Amino acid sequence: SAVAESTEPSSEGPVEKDDSKYRVGGAVSDAYVDPSKHAVSGQELKAQGFEYDQESLTYELVWSDEFDYEGEPDPEKWGYDVGGGGWGNHELQYYTKAENASVADGVLTIQARKEQVGFYEYTSSRLVTRQKGDWLYCKVEVSAKLPRGKGTWPAIWMLPTDWEYGDWPASGEIDIMEHVGYDQDVIVQSVHSTKYHAANSKSGSYKIEGVSDEFHTYSVEWLPDKIIFSVDGEEKYTYDPNKLSKQPTKAIWPYDKRMHLLINLAFGGDWGGARGIDDSYFPVDYYIDYVRVYQSPEIMELTGQTLEK
């Protein structure tokens, strides 16, 4: 009924509840939101509907560079992003082609130097596999020894090849390893998307001793519904869009388009130079022992792809 009696005793007798003031029974709260009016259509939903046993997945090597040769990086596997302009982060270096990247003694070396190129006082290199190595869902492993020095900013990361969802950050970014010289031995692994990017990116940060003294393996397992980051075979951070939203869209999961790999050494910039720079270390070397990319036949079949080696 519209009127209910209180079960609590009162000196003034039973208390009546006025339905015009209190929402009771079948009345609807003014704050109620009809979920059917805000549901995401099936075409817009991302990272859902994939059934597989992660523990039983197998992987096959589909692309690699062991750097078991001498000279410039293999042109069949590597291209370069060239130039200056800060690269969106007010970085100080000018990226050359192979002038700052060479292969010898089983390793790739990217060297940052203090030398003038036009208006720029520093040079380095940014290697990319774009149009030479592009994948949709894969496992990447890179063995690297990182440079020292305040201002250095080495990275191993992935960007979209086709930018189908729009310019950065709409089409996504996967950072397999980032390190800044002022925060020695701290590794950051992260993702960037429309909803989560820049200072609001989703990431893991952890202390890894001796990153500039010895090689460590930085890896990512990119699956159709989650991204798992590891260091030296130990899982460190997992980006799971279904834990962030019941209806994930491209705003948090643009990671269903092919991407390529980048390896670079920046200097200065918004993060690398956040606590100043010190070029007394120069030249500085960033060593890569190997790069290996694997794909899972089970995931490829599940997502309608063909495993090509």
Side-chain angles (χ1 to χ4, degrees), residues 155-226:
I156 303 164
W157 49 310
M158 301 185 79
L159 282 177
T161 298
D162 305 302
W163 298 94
E164 293 185 44
Y165 293 128
D167 293 339
W168 192 92
S171 291
E173 173 182 324
I174 300 173
D175 296 325
I176 303 169
M177 185 286 301
E178 287 187 278
H179 176 267
V180 290
Y182 69 77
D183 207 2
Q184 184 62 40
D185 292 337
V186 174
I187 296 300
V188 178
Q189 298 177 302
S190 57
V191 295
H192 300 262
S193 64
T194 297
K195 187 170 179 62
Y196 304 113
H197 65 274
N200 191 41
S201 66
K202 292 296 183 181
S203 64
S205 176
Y206 11 83
K207 189 84 171 180
I208 304 293
E209 297 291 344
V211 298
S212 299
D213 298 317
E214 56 193 5
F215 286 90
H216 291 269
T217 302
Y218 306 98
S219 61
V220 67
E221 185 176 7
W222 171 23
L223 295 165
D225 55 2
K226 63 177 68 72

Side-chain angles (χ1 to χ4, degrees), residues 71-282:
E72 296 183 3
D74 186 347
E76 296 296 317
K77 297 178 179 179
W78 300 101
Y80 303 87
D81 285 336
V82 177
W87 295 93
N89 302 295
H90 302 100
E91 298 161 25
L92 302 178
Q93 79 287 336
Y94 182 94
Y95 284 132
T96 70
K97 289 189 177 181
E99 290 92 331
N100 291 70
S102 61
V103 178
D105 301 321
V107 298
L108 163 68
T109 301
I110 298 176
Q111 187 174 83
R113 308 176 190 136
K114 185 173 183 179
E115 58 184 2
Q116 198 81 25
V117 175
F119 296 105
Y120 302 94
E121 298 180 8
Y122 306 94
T123 63
S124 187
S125 198
R126 172 160 144 163
L127 281 72
V128 301
T129 66
R130 186 175 54 247
Q131 305 297 344
K132 301 172 185 283
D134 308 271
W135 309 277
L136 173 57
Y137 312 128
C138 61
K139 179 187 289 186
V140 178
E141 295 180 348
V142 180
S143 176
K145 184 164 67 170
L146 311 183
R148 293 183 183 276
K150 187 189 293 185
T152 58
W153 184 358
I156 303 164
W157 49 310
M158 301 185 79
L159 282 177
T161 298
D162 305 302
W163 298 94
E164 293 185 44
Y165 293 128
D167 293 339
W168 192 92
S171 291
E173 173 182 324
I174 300 173
D175 296 325
I176 303 169
M177 185 286 301
E178 287 187 278
H179 176 267
V180 290
Y182 69 77
D183 207 2
Q184 184 62 40
D185 292 337
V186 174
I187 296 300
V188 178
Q189 298 177 302
S190 57
V191 295
H192 300 262
S193 64
T194 297
K195 187 170 179 62
Y196 304 113
H197 65 274
N200 191 41
S201 66
K202 292 296 183 181
S203 64
S205 176
Y206 11 83
K207 189 84 171 180
I208 304 293
E209 297 291 344
V211 298
S212 299
D213 298 317
E214 56 193 5
F215 286 90
H216 291 269
T217 302
Y218 306 98
S219 61
V220 67
E221 185 176 7
W222 171 23
L223 295 165
D225 55 2
K226 63 177 68 72
I227 299 173
I228 304 167
F229 296 91
S230 302
V231 179
D232 294 329
E234 180 182 347
E235 292 185 9
K236 292 291 189 179
Y237 170 66
T238 297
Y239 178 71
D240 186 341
N242 287 289
K243 291 184 177 180
L244 300 171
S245 171
K246 293 182 179 180
Q247 297 180 318
T249 67
K250 64 183 180 182
I252 64 173
W253 188 263
Y255 310 104
D256 58 357
K257 305 295 181 182
R258 65 177 187 159
M259 304 184 83
H260 60 273
L261 186 66
L262 302 91
I263 301 178
N264 69 293
L265 173 53
F267 186 64
D270 297 337
W271 187 17
R275 299 186 187 177
I277 60 173
D278 181 0
D279 57 21
S280 67
Y281 286 83
F282 278 37

